[in-house]
Amino acid sequence: MSDITPPIRLAVLASGGGSNLQAILEHLDALGASSAAKVVLVASDTPGAGALAKALTKNIPAAIIENPKDGPAIVRLLESHRVDAIALAGYLKFVPLEVLQRWNGRIVNVHPALLPAYGGKGMYGRRVHEAVIAGGEKESGATVHHVTDEFDRGLIIAQERVPVESGDTADSLAARVLEAEHRLYPTTIQQLALSLQRSTPTN
Ligand code: GRF
């Protein structure tokens, strides 16, 4: 039996620019040998997604999800990379049931507001920040949560709050929240990976 627990094999699913992917990779790199997770696959439903280009510059396998509704195909893709856990980073599609069942409790997402407020279907990107400002909120923030069959309704794992400042626009608030996401998501992923390592016996 080996004393060294291998890092959790993480897939990152992204639809867009991939700044959260970048933050995750930088954090895990900085942890060096203490990193409990390794990104082994980046997959996207959007062929031009910046996240795919970022993966390739880091020599991480990158794949296009041709049909985001095809659960069995996504399971096959993830299994072919022996994925233990999945982080959604700006992935805008519903995760099919086959994937949710196969990686039950091992799929997380970051949302740019303080859930359970300002989440749910259609609540993404600028719309979230516009709604927070229109709601007269004094605070917003980032939430990391488990992914279930309902958008943004899974168990909340961690949150970081930021102020909503007078004169904020959706863009200025989005930028402040994104900085919080970049701090919160990578550290939370490391913590989750550590707990998965503890619950997964090695041989
Ligand atoms: C982030 O605000 C994230 O919370 C949301 O989509 C945005 C994606 O940003 N789900 P990026 O692609 O990681 O830069």
Side-chain angles (χ1 to χ4, degrees):
M1 176 155 161
S2 157
D3 291 343
I4 301 167
T5 313
I8 293 297
R9 297 176 63 84
L10 185 72
V12 176
L13 270 49
S15 299
S19 70
N20 276 292
L21 167 68
Q22 177 81 25
I24 292 165
L25 292 172
E26 282 173 10
H27 185 70
L28 297 178
D29 269 357
L31 287 171
S34 321
S35 171
K38 178 181 179 189
V39 178
V40 297
L41 173 68
V42 173
S44 179
D45 59 304
T46 311
L52 293 173
K54 283 201 171 78
L56 291 174
T57 63
K58 292 272 194 178
N59 289 322
I60 297 168
I64 292 167
I65 296 172
E66 304 280 354
N67 177 2
K69 293 186 176 162
D70 187 347
I74 299 174
V75 169
R76 280 196 298 279
L77 170 67
L78 296 167
E79 282 188 338
S80 73
H81 291 271
R82 294 183 290 117
V83 164
D84 299 310
I86 302 163
L88 309 186
Y91 186 66
L92 296 177
K93 297 291 196 282
F94 184 76
V95 177
L97 283 180
E98 292 87 347
V99 180
L100 293 174
Q101 281 161 1
R102 168 67 179 76
W103 284 275
N104 183 22
R106 291 167 169 244
I107 311 177
V108 294
N109 182 41
V110 65
H111 183 80
L114 295 174
L115 292 176
Y118 302 103
K121 193 164 168 34
M123 213 26 122
Y124 61 87
R126 282 180 66 87
R127 293 186 204 181
V128 177
H129 308 293
E130 282 164 359
V132 168
I133 290 169
E137 302 293 345
K138 298 276 173 275
E139 277 189 327
S140 188
T143 301
V144 179
H145 64 96
H146 284 285
V147 175
T148 65
D149 58 357
E150 274 187 288
F151 274 113
D152 303 326
R153 289 287 170 258
L155 196 69
I156 291 172
I157 301 164
Q159 290 186 313
E160 181 175 326
R161 312 176 95 82
V162 302
V164 178
E165 288 169 7
S166 63
D168 256 340
T169 61
D171 287 339
S172 63
L173 180 56
R176 193 174 310 118
V177 171
L178 194 60
E179 283 179 15
E181 292 179 50
H182 294 167
R183 287 186 293 270
L184 182 71
Y185 205 18
T187 51
T188 305
I189 284 172
Q190 166 73 2
Q191 292 307 315
L192 289 169
L194 284 170
S195 66
L196 284 175
Q197 279 185 325
R198 284 193 289 267
S199 65
T200 311
T202 53
N203 49 42

mmCIF file of all heavy atoms in Angstrom, residues 14 16-21 89-92 109-112 125 129 178 181-182, ligand 1:
data_model
loop_
_atom_site.group_PDB
_atom_site.id
_atom_site.type_symbol
_atom_site.label_atom_id
_atom_site.label_comp_id
_atom_site.label_asym_id
_atom_site.label_seq_id
_atom_site.Cartn_x
_atom_site.Cartn_y
_atom_site.Cartn_z
ATOM 1 N N ALA A 14 -16.506 24.120 -19.321
ATOM 2 C CA ALA A 14 -16.633 25.578 -19.452
ATOM 3 C C ALA A 14 -17.258 25.920 -20.792
ATOM 4 O O ALA A 14 -17.018 25.226 -21.784
ATOM 5 C CB ALA A 14 -15.251 26.222 -19.340
ATOM 6 N N GLY A 16 -17.183 29.378 -21.729
ATOM 7 C CA GLY A 16 -16.712 30.713 -22.116
ATOM 8 C C GLY A 16 -15.218 30.897 -21.983
ATOM 9 O O GLY A 16 -14.413 30.014 -22.285
ATOM 10 N N GLY A 17 -14.881 32.081 -21.469
ATOM 11 C CA GLY A 17 -13.494 32.531 -21.466
ATOM 12 C C GLY A 17 -12.555 31.694 -20.630
ATOM 13 O O GLY A 17 -11.366 31.585 -20.932
ATOM 14 N N GLY A 18 -13.074 31.132 -19.559
ATOM 15 C CA GLY A 18 -12.241 30.242 -18.773
ATOM 16 C C GLY A 18 -11.361 30.937 -17.755
ATOM 17 O O GLY A 18 -10.323 30.410 -17.384
ATOM 18 N N SER A 19 -11.797 32.116 -17.244
ATOM 19 C CA SER A 19 -10.946 32.753 -16.236
ATOM 20 C C SER A 19 -10.967 31.951 -14.933
ATOM 21 O O SER A 19 -9.965 31.917 -14.206
ATOM 22 C CB SER A 19 -11.360 34.202 -15.990
ATOM 23 O OG SER A 19 -12.589 34.283 -15.327
ATOM 24 N N ASN A 20 -12.076 31.300 -14.631
ATOM 25 C CA ASN A 20 -12.085 30.442 -13.432
ATOM 26 C C ASN A 20 -11.187 29.225 -13.628
ATOM 27 O O ASN A 20 -10.502 28.797 -12.698
ATOM 28 C CB ASN A 20 -13.515 30.010 -13.078
ATOM 29 C CG ASN A 20 -14.228 31.061 -12.244
ATOM 30 O OD1 ASN A 20 -13.863 31.289 -11.097
ATOM 31 N ND2 ASN A 20 -15.212 31.728 -12.819
ATOM 32 N N LEU A 21 -11.208 28.652 -14.835
ATOM 33 C CA LEU A 21 -10.283 27.544 -15.136
ATOM 34 C C LEU A 21 -8.855 27.997 -14.873
ATOM 35 O O LEU A 21 -8.071 27.302 -14.218
ATOM 36 C CB LEU A 21 -10.439 27.106 -16.599
ATOM 37 C CG LEU A 21 -9.336 26.191 -17.118
ATOM 38 C CD1 LEU A 21 -9.396 24.823 -16.448
ATOM 39 C CD2 LEU A 21 -9.422 26.042 -18.639
ATOM 40 N N ALA A 89 -17.219 25.543 -14.757
ATOM 41 C CA ALA A 89 -16.651 26.888 -14.644
ATOM 42 C C ALA A 89 -17.202 27.709 -15.801
ATOM 43 O O ALA A 89 -16.639 27.716 -16.897
ATOM 44 C CB ALA A 89 -15.127 26.822 -14.677
ATOM 45 N N GLY A 90 -18.356 28.313 -15.562
ATOM 46 C CA GLY A 90 -18.993 29.060 -16.641
ATOM 47 C C GLY A 90 -19.601 28.130 -17.686
ATOM 48 O O GLY A 90 -19.690 28.499 -18.855
ATOM 49 N N TYR A 91 -20.015 26.921 -17.256
ATOM 50 C CA TYR A 91 -20.665 25.973 -18.182
ATOM 51 C C TYR A 91 -22.163 26.258 -18.143
ATOM 52 O O TYR A 91 -22.780 26.190 -17.080
ATOM 53 C CB TYR A 91 -20.376 24.539 -17.748
ATOM 54 C CG TYR A 91 -20.880 23.487 -18.717
ATOM 55 C CD1 TYR A 91 -20.333 23.371 -19.994
ATOM 56 C CD2 TYR A 91 -21.898 22.611 -18.353
ATOM 57 C CE1 TYR A 91 -20.784 22.417 -20.883
ATOM 58 C CE2 TYR A 91 -22.352 21.636 -19.238
ATOM 59 C CZ TYR A 91 -21.789 21.546 -20.503
ATOM 60 O OH TYR A 91 -22.241 20.593 -21.377
ATOM 61 N N LEU A 92 -22.721 26.589 -19.303
ATOM 62 C CA LEU A 92 -24.088 27.119 -19.311
ATOM 63 C C LEU A 92 -25.156 26.078 -19.627
ATOM 64 O O LEU A 92 -26.339 26.408 -19.682
ATOM 65 C CB LEU A 92 -24.183 28.269 -20.330
ATOM 66 C CG LEU A 92 -23.307 29.476 -19.983
ATOM 67 C CD1 LEU A 92 -23.389 30.539 -21.065
ATOM 68 C CD2 LEU A 92 -23.689 30.055 -18.620
ATOM 69 N N ASN A 109 -20.186 23.685 -8.938
ATOM 70 C CA ASN A 109 -20.311 24.848 -9.829
ATOM 71 C C ASN A 109 -20.017 26.106 -9.031
ATOM 72 O O ASN A 109 -20.162 26.123 -7.810
ATOM 73 C CB ASN A 109 -21.742 24.918 -10.376
ATOM 74 C CG ASN A 109 -21.937 26.071 -11.342
ATOM 75 O OD1 ASN A 109 -21.077 26.354 -12.168
ATOM 76 N ND2 ASN A 109 -23.067 26.758 -11.235
ATOM 77 N N VAL A 110 -19.612 27.163 -9.742
ATOM 78 C CA VAL A 110 -19.508 28.467 -9.104
ATOM 79 C C VAL A 110 -20.553 29.372 -9.741
ATOM 80 O O VAL A 110 -20.743 29.376 -10.956
ATOM 81 C CB VAL A 110 -18.084 29.062 -9.232
ATOM 82 C CG1 VAL A 110 -17.701 29.366 -10.670
ATOM 83 C CG2 VAL A 110 -17.938 30.292 -8.350
ATOM 84 N N HIS A 111 -21.266 30.099 -8.886
ATOM 85 C CA HIS A 111 -22.326 30.992 -9.360
ATOM 86 C C HIS A 111 -22.011 32.415 -8.889
ATOM 87 O O HIS A 111 -21.599 32.606 -7.744
ATOM 88 C CB HIS A 111 -23.682 30.535 -8.798
ATOM 89 C CG HIS A 111 -24.820 31.363 -9.303
ATOM 90 N ND1 HIS A 111 -25.372 31.176 -10.547
ATOM 91 C CD2 HIS A 111 -25.498 32.392 -8.732
ATOM 92 C CE1 HIS A 111 -26.343 32.057 -10.729
ATOM 93 N NE2 HIS A 111 -26.445 32.805 -9.642
ATOM 94 N N PRO A 112 -22.235 33.428 -9.754
ATOM 95 C CA PRO A 112 -21.815 34.785 -9.392
ATOM 96 C C PRO A 112 -22.846 35.574 -8.588
ATOM 97 O O PRO A 112 -23.131 36.730 -8.908
ATOM 98 C CB PRO A 112 -21.551 35.421 -10.763
ATOM 99 C CG PRO A 112 -22.523 34.747 -11.670
ATOM 100 C CD PRO A 112 -22.675 33.338 -11.158
ATOM 101 N N GLY A 125 -24.569 35.262 -16.199
ATOM 102 C CA GLY A 125 -23.905 36.415 -16.817
ATOM 103 C C GLY A 125 -24.431 37.738 -16.272
ATOM 104 O O GLY A 125 -24.756 37.873 -15.094
ATOM 105 N N HIS A 129 -26.190 40.175 -12.310
ATOM 106 C CA HIS A 129 -25.739 41.419 -11.685
ATOM 107 C C HIS A 129 -26.764 42.531 -11.875
ATOM 108 O O HIS A 129 -26.968 43.353 -10.977
ATOM 109 C CB HIS A 129 -24.358 41.789 -12.232
ATOM 110 C CG HIS A 129 -23.388 40.644 -12.112
ATOM 111 N ND1 HIS A 129 -22.946 40.184 -10.887
ATOM 112 C CD2 HIS A 129 -22.841 39.816 -13.043
ATOM 113 C CE1 HIS A 129 -22.137 39.144 -11.072
ATOM 114 N NE2 HIS A 129 -22.065 38.899 -12.373
ATOM 115 N N LEU A 178 -16.281 38.446 -9.890
ATOM 116 C CA LEU A 178 -15.380 37.493 -10.551
ATOM 117 C C LEU A 178 -14.075 37.344 -9.772
ATOM 118 O O LEU A 178 -13.545 36.243 -9.647
ATOM 119 C CB LEU A 178 -15.114 37.940 -11.999
ATOM 120 C CG LEU A 178 -14.482 36.890 -12.922
ATOM 121 C CD1 LEU A 178 -15.342 35.632 -13.061
ATOM 122 C CD2 LEU A 178 -14.223 37.487 -14.311
ATOM 123 N N GLU A 181 -14.813 35.008 -7.106
ATOM 124 C CA GLU A 181 -14.874 33.634 -7.637
ATOM 125 C C GLU A 181 -13.470 33.050 -7.756
ATOM 126 O O GLU A 181 -13.234 31.889 -7.413
ATOM 127 C CB GLU A 181 -15.535 33.621 -9.025
ATOM 128 C CG GLU A 181 -17.005 33.972 -9.008
ATOM 129 C CD GLU A 181 -17.594 33.968 -10.410
ATOM 130 O OE1 GLU A 181 -17.399 32.984 -11.138
ATOM 131 O OE2 GLU A 181 -18.252 34.956 -10.786
ATOM 132 N N HIS A 182 -12.551 33.892 -8.254
ATOM 133 C CA HIS A 182 -11.187 33.400 -8.493
ATOM 134 C C HIS A 182 -10.461 33.065 -7.198
ATOM 135 O O HIS A 182 -9.523 32.276 -7.215
ATOM 136 C CB HIS A 182 -10.389 34.438 -9.294
ATOM 137 C CG HIS A 182 -10.913 34.624 -10.687
ATOM 138 N ND1 HIS A 182 -10.542 35.668 -11.497
ATOM 139 C CD2 HIS A 182 -11.795 33.884 -11.418
ATOM 140 C CE1 HIS A 182 -11.172 35.559 -12.656
ATOM 141 N NE2 HIS A 182 -11.936 34.495 -12.624
HETATM 142 C C1 GRF B 1 -18.466 33.357 -14.007
HETATM 143 O O1 GRF B 1 -19.061 34.533 -13.501
HETATM 144 C C2 GRF B 1 -19.168 32.168 -13.422
HETATM 145 O O2 GRF B 1 -19.650 32.373 -12.145
HETATM 146 C C3 GRF B 1 -20.324 32.002 -14.317
HETATM 147 O O3 GRF B 1 -19.838 32.310 -15.599
HETATM 148 C C4 GRF B 1 -18.733 33.190 -15.488
HETATM 149 C C5 GRF B 1 -17.650 32.468 -16.223
HETATM 150 O O4 GRF B 1 -16.456 33.066 -16.223
HETATM 151 N N1 GRF B 1 -20.940 30.727 -14.110
HETATM 152 P P1 GRF B 1 -15.183 32.341 -16.812
HETATM 153 O O5 GRF B 1 -15.549 31.635 -18.116
HETATM 154 O O6 GRF B 1 -14.660 31.392 -15.802
HETATM 155 O O7 GRF B 1 -14.248 33.475 -17.078
#
